[in-house]
Amino acid sequence: PERRRSFSGLRRPTMDQFSLQAQLAFFQEETEDGKTQMKPIFIDAAAMKQKVRENLFKEPYDVSKYYKTTGLWRDIATSSLFEKVTLSVIGINACWIGIDTDWNPAEVLMEASPLFQIAEHLFCVYFSFELLVRFCSFAQKRDCLRDGWFVFD
């Protein structure tokens, strides 16, 4: 009869939890001079916690701190109505871009029907007005370059 082999005499190599974690937490990387260096795989948890704490208590960005303290332009730029109207016009403009793409066969604006030309000019006038209001609100005009949204516009 054929004899079965028993694996009960073989032992698995044992490794405790800490040495396994130590091996998994690093990977080998070859440096420029050909030496092997151990690099950590995961970010230092304590440093990450500290960074999260710093960001939680960081003052939120507010462009109005660069605005004049008084004045008509500042009052318009900081009003909630102006902000809501601007966001509405942006949303309407996004929808209009879709309508224009589907229904306007003209290659250039000058060849488009008057409806499309008037709409484009109205959006351009409003966005230019918004930019003017925000620019005139800055106490130091060069501070407008610190505001990412102003630069984007």
Side-chain angles (χ1 to χ4, degrees):
E2 190 175 307
R3 192 170 169 191
R4 290 189 170 184
R5 294 185 183 180
S6 172
F7 293 103
S8 62
L10 296 176
R11 294 178 46 205
R12 289 185 176 170
T14 58
M15 184 176 290
D16 65 6
Q17 177 184 1
F18 299 109
S19 62
L20 179 61
Q21 284 179 348
Q23 287 182 359
L24 291 177
F26 293 92
F27 69 94
Q28 291 183 354
E29 182 177 80
E30 195 169 311
T31 60
E32 292 178 4
D33 58 356
K35 295 180 181 178
T36 303
Q37 174 181 354
M38 298 298 283
K39 289 269 195 165
I41 292 176
F42 303 106
I43 298 173
D44 181 22
M48 182 174 273
K49 286 179 185 177
Q50 181 62 29
K51 188 163 185 134
V52 167
R53 284 186 194 106
E54 289 171 4
N55 287 334
L56 283 175
F57 298 110
K58 192 167 127 179
E59 184 179 329
Y61 176 74
D62 183 21
V63 69
S64 65
K65 72 180 182 181
Y66 297 116
Y67 287 171
K68 297 174 185 174
T69 55
T70 59
L72 175 66
W73 296 115
R74 183 200 186 286
D75 291 343
I76 295 172
T78 57
S79 76
S80 64
L81 178 63
F82 181 71
E83 182 179 338
K84 290 174 185 172
V85 169
T86 300
L87 288 175
S88 299
V89 172
I90 290 170
I92 293 168
N93 187 30
C95 294
W96 181 256
I97 288 171
I99 292 169
D100 185 52
T101 302
D102 287 345
W103 293 347
N104 184 5
E107 292 289 324
V108 293
L109 185 60
M110 295 304 293
E111 295 173 359
S113 70
L115 174 68
F116 292 105
Q117 290 185 28
I118 291 169
E120 290 297 326
H121 291 314
L122 288 175
F123 286 122
C124 183
V125 166
Y126 183 80
F127 290 134
S128 298
F129 171 72
E130 179 209 2
L131 205 59
L132 175 72
V133 166
R134 292 175 53 212
F135 180 75
C136 291
S137 298
F138 284 99
Q140 298 288 323
K141 301 307 180 205
R142 68 176 176 259
D143 285 341
C144 69
L145 299 175
R146 292 183 181 191
D147 182 29
W149 285 112
F150 187 88
V151 172
F152 176 74
D153 287 345

